[in-house]
Amino acid sequence: MIEKTYRPAEVEEKHYRLWEESGAFAANTDANGHPYTIMMPPPNVTGSLHMGHALTFTLQDVLIRYNRMRGKDALWQPGTDHAGIATQMVVERNLAKDGVTRHDLGRQEFIRKVWEWKAESGGTITRQLRRLGASPDWAKERFTMDEGLSKAVVKVFVQLHKQGLIYKDKRLVNWDSKLHTAISDLEVEQKEIKGSLWHFRYPIEGEEGRFITVATTRPETMLGDTGVAVHPEDERYKDLIGKFVVLPLVGRRIPIVGDEYADPATGSGAVKITPAHDFNDFEVGKRCGLEAINIMDRDARLNDAVPEAYRGLDRYEARKKVVAEIEALGLLEKIEPHTHMVPHGDRSGIAIEPWLTDQWYVDAATLAKPAIDAVEQGRTTFVPKQWENTYYDWMRNIQPWCISRQIWWGHQIPAWYGPDGAFFVEETEEAARAAAAAHYGKPVELTRDTDVLDTWFSSALWPFSTLGWPEQTPELARYYPTDVLVTGFDIIFFWVARMMMMGIHFMGDVPFRTVYIHALVRDEKGQKMSKSKGNVIDPLDLIGEYGTDALRFTLSAMAAQGRDIKLAVSRVEGYRNFATKLWNAARYCQMNGCEPVPGFAPTGLTQTVNRWIVGAVRDAGARIAEAIDGYKFNEAANAAYQFTWGTFCDWYLEFTKPILTGNDEAAKAETRATTAWVLDQILHLLHPIMPYITEELWEQLSPDRANRLISAAWPEPAADAGGAAAQAEMDWVVRLISSVRSMRSEMNVPPSAQIALMLKDPSAQTLERLATHRDLILRMGRLASVEPLDGAVPKSAVQSVLDEATVILPLEGIVDLDKERQRLTKEIDKLAGEIKKIDAKLGNEQFLAKAKEEVVAEQRDRRDEAAATRDKLQKALDMLGA
């Protein structure tokens, strides 16, 4: 017997272990079934489960479980990313506790320590994914630094270099002066800083007493200025283009150039140009032929390229000194308070320095062209489609991709340097030595490049390197290209685009047919979750409190395309209640003898109510399947919820109570078998979203089944067998009872009140249905009687239309209708006033410009809620004939 209470913690560990041990998650390369593949976005090996993970891995698992049940050979390829900087920082912090640095250990010993850490502590995220119920093929788990993937990385680097698509160049990078490495844009976070805008006057050469004023937020970089830009059409400065200023404190002559980067409407209209320390200035410098002078070292201290008094100063110390000396020279025009966004390293927390340095680059523009074509031609499609525009925008304006990092943990670049700095890029040191000997005419000493590759470089190969490439394995032939990539919009550029480029270049085909982009999980007010705000919700806490299925169902039900999820704990609690409802329904069925009948097929049914539910479950299954196929997870979850809680529990189980307690044994047997069959269908349909409770009930309802639910086939639609007429009939009963309940609720009719219901102008079919189902309608509508109306509509009655008939509920002596009209009118007016206020706010351009995104969203939500309530009350007022 099913226990009274469902206890998730007691069943989740058991079922996961049994699934994994039985090989239920495994793909079968030799299978006849059509392959279906999802590549798991590899979480960082340092990571732990957060709400974004919970969303993306839940949605992927829904797709995998569903397609597995559809008979496909489903491969969900798992793995983790070595997360270069993050992992190195973790291990360095651990060493620091013992007063040791990586430099004390040396490179090889430090890397050995990282592998030790990975073996002991690197599995946290995969253990937590198991708690979430994720069902990837764990036997195929890969790691971006494992031997096979490392070989793929080296081969790709060498081939791209030999094809001229990887090269060394001196360009600006995001430099982290604490970690001493270049970092990607994804590892940079913009922070709002309240600073100052300093206005300096630069003297025009040869024009005594004439100056040009420039404004800067970084006075220290003026020591590296190599030009001043003005707009070519700015009448104030046209005569100065081609002339020079004398750079204060340095004495260097620098040209005044015409460039459209200078905005005449901003500040003085003139901007200082420091090509070695600003990304925009770097581009202006290239266009105008300006020198790039690097004035900082790797610690963001000023180097020997500046006057002696500034050498060795920290950038912020240098800032104070520059301002003081400019002021002493009388060249400080003014200082204004200025709030602006400053890039910071997400790991180190310090301001990033644009720094001119030698790095390795990929010619991304060349690789991007076929990747753009693939989406334009529809070989890969984005869902929702509007994300294609984001993809195009970035790919069509793509910059060279800096792939080198100045850290130790990662794939070391396969380049070796000779005595004169010439380098040799080969797959092995032996091959490099041979190439060097051929170049120099003799064997020479070689030194390997100390840099490692950007983590995104190895993860760009993930869709094919995990399947064994460069070996031509059966897995590669079967599972590439993959079916769908499920990911967040924030890594379209960093990961999706790069996988497209690499997949097409090395495999000759796109890496995935569909890219499903899900939204962000925010807090219930629509704010982004962050530790500083204290609004982070830990998915593991929710799992512990409400069970895994409740969290998975919540995330699925809220995953509407293109809309961020506003997660409230109350929603998870609500779906925990749904799990409880399902559990109690199964218990009720078992207690009433509704147990699965082997070989039962819902055909030839005699009871209208049974034919109706069979048709209803068929329709629900079709809606759920169509929604999952279309990546409309919210629609799938809501269809499952409405059918299970509404149609099955609230209606069918109530409708069939008289049969189960009656004396017609044939009707009883048919209804028990049908009930058990429908419950089994529900378990199938819910399983992709709620795997644990469905598996447990599957087992409890019939312990001798040949297979577990995870391996059961997705339900085939049942034949109609006269169900259409039954559905029309029972749907009429549901609508009539719902209409009565709605009128009672809107009019505040006491639950105990037994009221007479009247039907005006009913058709012959309506009268026939009424006669057949009178007892159900009376019981479930809490009615004293239900009859056709003969004569005029009584006073003090509320009315509603149902098909051709008018439903009339006389309320004389039960509800004061005049008082009810007054109450409803007052509530409607109050809501109208609130809506008017909100509309005024939302129509105010200043409010929209200044208010935070989540504040605007909250106002829109409030308006929608108020409008919905107003419309509901208006409907109630209309019923009163007001």
Side-chain angles (χ1 to χ4, degrees), residues 25 128 137 308-309 321 492 508 545 578 647 690 726 735 737:
F25 303 160
Q128 291 171 340
D137 189 344
E308 192 172 349
K321 189 173 177 65
I492 291 176
E545 181 76 16
F578 173 58
T647 308
M690 304 179 84
R735 286 186 293 123
I737 295 169

Side-chain angles (χ1 to χ4, degrees), residues 81 191 231 243 317 328 501 508 592 733 781 788 856 880:
D81 189 283
K191 291 186 180 178
H231 195 281
K243 294 185 178 182
E317 293 169 356
M501 292 190 284
N592 282 276
V733 176
V856 175
L880 289 170

Side-chain angles (χ1 to χ4, degrees), residues 120-159:
E120 291 171 16
S121 308
T124 298
I125 187 71
T126 53
R127 287 193 296 274
Q128 291 171 340
L129 286 176
R130 286 170 164 88
R131 283 202 68 191
L132 189 66
S135 62
D137 189 344
W138 288 116
K140 291 185 171 66
E141 184 177 355
R142 303 302 298 268
F143 177 53
T144 47
M145 285 283 286
D146 70 26
E147 187 181 352
L149 270 66
S150 295
K151 281 182 181 174
V153 167
V154 169
K155 182 167 278 292
V156 164
F157 187 97
V158 173
Q159 285 190 16

Side-chain angles (χ1 to χ4, degrees), residues 39 208 216 302 308 331 367 402 450 566 598 667 739 815-816 861:
M39 286 288 156
E208 189 69 33
T216 180
L302 274 59
E308 192 172 349
L331 298 175
L367 291 174
C402 176
T450 57
K566 292 182 184 176
S739 180
V815 175
D816 184 334
D861 288 347

Side-chain angles (χ1 to χ4, degrees), residues 398-417:
I398 201 166
Q399 296 297 307
W401 172 17
C402 176
I403 54 170
S404 44
R405 299 290 180 265
Q406 290 66 52
I407 58 174
W408 288 354
W409 173 241
H411 297 101
Q412 194 170 352
I413 287 173
W416 285 263
Y417 295 87

